[in-house]
Amino acid sequence: DQQVKQNSPSLSVQEGRISILNCDYTNSMFDYFLWYKKYPAEGPTFLISISSIKDKNEDGRFTVFLNKSAKHLSLHIVPSQPGDSAVYFCAAKGRQGNLIFGKGTKLSVKP
Amino acid sequence: DAGVIQSPRHEVTEMGQEVTLRCKPISGHDYLFWYRQTMMRGLELLIYFNNNVPIDDSGMPEDRFSAKMPNASFSTLKIQPSEPRDSAVYFCASSLDLFNEKLFFGSGTQLSVL
């Protein structure tokens, strides 16, 4: 059973608008969450993270929000750019410290 | 540093054949991970090593899968015999610590088993 769920396989957004990527998790013991970005024919790369003691972390155009009661986090990209088109993976730090990834959401930003 | 290097980039083989995927981690990284990416399951952790020692192989799907790390600069993932359902992208990653945001991935090996 998936412990980290990304229920939207794809998302299409107009350039300049906001992109919102969602992620749900089932294990309330998870205490650290990350987003990775993956371009075609490349490996995933770290984008942004958040600790469970926070509800928001911002880095430039990227903001991650965490709602612990709902076991939900989201990644906001504002404004979206064509170069943001990629697959975005949500991940949680597992009990042993290894990362547990979701299935990914493919973001397409249209010019 | 050249980053994590995987070979081959693409592998096409027939069912029943042995497949060997290779990985060179970033020098100085103590942890090496093998992941598999599929549409159905996303990125799954297959196995990881610490200082060349396998720590957790609970993600290895079947006995047909095996992984070795004979030294700090080289690891292999072998599938014998291969099956069509093994078709996926296999990633190797390395990091300084077990939990580290800076988990560096290779470019992956696209495996197709016909």
Side-chain angles (χ1 to χ4, degrees):
Chain A
D1 189 26
Q2 288 269 315
Q3 297 187 65
V4 177
K5 302 177 182 179
Q6 294 178 258
N7 292 320
S8 297
S10 63
L11 174 68
S12 184
V13 172
Q14 204 69 30
E15 181 179 4
R17 307 295 290 268
I18 184 172
S19 295
I20 300 176
L21 296 97
N22 294 305
C23 178
D24 297 294
Y25 59 95
T26 57
N27 191 335
S28 58
M29 299 300 291
F30 288 155
D31 61 1
Y32 206 88
F33 304 90
L34 307 90
W35 286 92
Y36 273 72
K37 178 179 181 180
K38 182 187 176 303
Y39 291 118
E42 296 183 11
T45 56
F46 170 74
L47 181 60
I48 192 170
S49 62
I50 188 166
S51 165
S52 61
I53 63 173
K54 296 184 176 181
D55 55 17
K56 176 183 174 180
N57 187 28
E58 190 173 352
D59 183 2
R61 297 185 296 113
F62 302 90
T63 303
V64 56
F65 295 92
L66 176 62
N67 182 334
K68 284 183 294 183
S69 61
K71 296 191 185 71
H72 177 84
L73 65 155
S74 60
L75 174 68
H76 293 212
I77 307 173
V78 182
S80 302
Q81 299 174 354
D84 296 329
S85 298
V87 176
Y88 290 79
F89 289 97
C90 174
K93 188 184 79 169
R95 187 177 56 183
Q96 295 185 25
N98 57 292
L99 295 183
I100 301 170
F101 288 87
K103 294 182 181 181
T105 297
K106 182 177 182 179
L107 173 66
S108 299
V109 180
K110 309 293 186 184
Chain B
D1 201 315
V4 177
I5 300 173
Q6 290 187 247
S7 65
R9 290 297 304 271
H10 303 274
E11 176 79 35
V12 180
T13 190
E14 292 187 347
M15 182 174 64
Q17 296 297 307
E18 177 180 296
V19 174
T20 300
L21 311 182
R22 297 173 175 79
C23 175
K24 182 181 187 315
I26 293 173
S27 177
H29 281 192
D30 291 335
Y31 286 85
L32 183 141
F33 305 81
W34 282 100
Y35 283 89
R36 178 171 69 174
Q37 183 192 4
T38 61
M39 291 292 291
M40 290 296 294
R41 302 180 67 86
L43 270 171
E44 297 177 275
L45 177 64
L46 301 178
I47 185 172
Y48 74 88
F49 295 82
N50 176 216
N51 291 324
N52 315 337
V53 177
I55 302 300
D56 184 355
D57 65 354
S58 60
M60 296 286 260
E62 298 173 35
D63 291 345
R64 299 184 294 107
F65 286 69
S66 62
K68 294 182 180 179
M69 193 165 185
N71 57 62
S73 59
F74 183 65
S75 177
T76 59
L77 178 67
K78 185 176 292 187
I79 308 173
Q80 165 64 12
S82 59
E83 296 182 4
R85 59 194 168 122
D86 301 331
S87 298
V89 182
Y90 291 80
F91 288 102
C92 176
S94 71
S95 68
L96 287 168
D97 307 305
L98 174 57
F99 173 64
N100 195 314
E101 292 175 348
K102 302 301 181 185
L103 181 62
F104 292 88
F105 283 82
S107 298
T109 295
Q110 174 77 59
L111 174 65
S112 297
V113 183
L114 307 177

